[in-house]
Amino acid sequence: HVQLVESGGGSVQAGGSLRLSCAASGRTYSKWCMGWFRQVPGKEREGLATIDSRGITAYADSVKGRFTISQDNWKNILYLQLNSLKPEDTAMYYCAASHYPYGGVIALTATLYRYWGQGTQVTVS
């Protein structure tokens, strides 16, 4: 199994920035895909950004140019840099992982991921 723990959420004013972290532990795979998703009550979970073991990234149009996904392989940490935040970015943000290296926009599909963190709240006012 893989355990994921998110951190870095908080409250910020519009136009501000945050950096979310996702610490991964447990079984490791040579091929994988990890991503960031968000969800607000009453809506489906939205894929924001993904990266796989080949370094292929994908972004949702809603965050392209504002959010950046990156990883620290040595520390097994996934990051999401959030810039130019808007009130509509307010949501619970989740980290997810799969042991299949999905690449491209298909990787933004939440149902493809087996492992999920508990989420970290981002509030933009």
Side-chain angles (χ1 to χ4, degrees), residues 27-115:
R27 185 173 179 178
T28 59
Y29 297 89
S30 60
K31 298 180 180 179
W32 49 266
C33 185
M34 294 187 73
W36 287 98
F37 296 77
R38 69 185 177 190
Q39 190 169 25
V40 296
K43 292 190 176 181
E44 292 186 355
R45 195 161 292 190
E46 177 189 12
L48 303 176
T50 67
I51 186 168
D52 73 9
S53 50
R54 299 164 294 176
I56 296 175
T57 60
Y59 292 91
D61 289 342
S62 59
V63 304
K64 199 173 295 183
R66 299 190 299 124
F67 293 4
T68 303
I69 191 169
S70 62
Q71 57 175 336
D72 183 330
N73 282 333
W74 291 106
K75 297 180 180 179
N76 290 331
I77 299 177
L78 182 73
Y79 299 103
L80 186 68
Q81 179 68 40
L82 291 66
N83 295 329
S84 303
L85 283 162
K86 307 174 183 179
E88 51 264 44
D89 293 319
T90 296
M92 184 71 78
Y93 283 66
Y94 297 92
C95 171
S98 169
H99 55 76
Y100 189 84
Y102 299 105
V105 293
I106 190 174
L108 295 172
T109 305
T111 54
L112 297 178
Y113 293 83
R114 177 177 180 181
Y115 304 104

